[in-house]
Amino acid sequence: ENGPCHRLAVRHFEPPPATASSGSKLIECESALGVYEAVLSNRAFLGIVLLEQADLGVLPAAKQLFAQYPLQIVAELSDAAADRAAGRTRCVVVCKRNALPPPTGRDKTMLLLGLLDAPGNLAAALTSFTTHGVNVSYIQSSAAPPGSGAQVAFFIELAGHARDTAVAHALAELQPLAAFVKVLGSFACGAPDRDALLGAATSPSSMRG
């Protein structure tokens, strides 16, 4: 309680008083893994997990969950109060979805890229984005997930939607270079639309079992 994820959940997703009695409510989890388990078990439609805090980069626990589980990132949240107190603080909203939401023209994509640790591999991969005019706004290396076939992994944020022509072509060019490419989510930048996210998360056509 009082952590950035809790504050952002209350700010963006607490049900209005008129609907609080209809069964829609916030639930607290002890850890990021607990959030994932709540969404995977259908105890929650959406989950909020801490992505980055205190300018330390993307948290290892978050990257491990992104690699291991099939939930999709559908929004990004920032906490200005925490930013002032402890450096940059970001959370992401995750849910079950079968497909990416449609592009809005003001989107961001997050992905994990696994490569062999060899000279020139990362440069060649980044050239795929440069060639197609895709702006990579953030990149951070980490240990590759066990059994992935990669020796090093990169968490990457880029401007645009995975369905945009330029981004789609860049991602296609990555495939022969990479041990794996996992698109974690493409979503609209800015404050999330609570009702739209809940509607998409609860739609039978978008749910995974």
Side-chain angles (χ1 to χ4, degrees):
E1 198 168 325
N2 297 327
C5 290
H6 175 81
R7 289 194 298 271
L8 291 167
V10 170
R11 184 184 310 162
H12 293 284
F13 294 103
E14 188 167 44
T19 63
S21 61
S22 65
S24 176
K25 63 179 182 179
L26 298 179
I27 61 174
E28 293 187 33
C29 300
E30 294 294 325
S31 64
L33 177 58
V35 173
Y36 265 65
E37 290 174 341
V39 177
L40 288 166
S41 65
N42 297 322
R43 290 191 295 115
F45 293 122
L46 300 170
I48 299 178
V49 296
L50 188 62
L51 176 71
E52 182 179 12
Q53 189 172 39
D55 296 325
L56 298 175
V58 176
L59 301 177
K63 287 184 285 190
Q64 183 177 357
L65 291 170
F66 297 159
Q68 187 174 355
Y69 295 101
L71 298 186
Q72 187 181 132
I73 297 173
V74 293
E76 178 184 3
L77 308 172
S78 61
D79 188 336
D83 285 352
R84 290 191 293 271
R88 190 182 194 196
T89 300
R90 294 190 293 161
C91 298
V92 290
V93 181
V94 297
C95 77
K96 288 182 176 181
R97 284 193 70 131
N98 283 323
L100 295 172
T104 68
R106 51 182 184 85
D107 303 294
K108 169 187 280 192
T109 294
M110 295 181 177
L111 62 96
L112 286 178
L113 169 66
L115 298 173
L116 296 178
D117 190 9
N121 272 11
L122 177 59
L126 293 178
T127 297
S128 300
F129 296 114
T130 303
T131 299
H132 294 284
V134 177
N135 180 43
V136 174
S137 58
Y138 185 94
I139 182 168
Q140 183 185 23
S141 64
S142 64
S148 66
Q151 293 173 322
V152 62
F154 296 89
F155 174 85
I156 296 175
E157 299 179 36
L158 52 90
H161 193 284
R163 291 184 189 169
D164 292 344
T165 300
V167 177
H169 285 169
L171 293 176
E173 287 187 10
L174 281 180
Q175 297 295 337
L177 304 171
F180 68 87
V181 179
K182 182 177 182 181
V183 174
L184 303 174
S186 289
F187 50 89
C189 298
D193 183 326
R194 173 187 179 274
D195 292 336
L197 287 179
L198 282 172
T202 59
S203 169
S205 62
S206 68
M207 290 282 289
R208 279 193 291 259

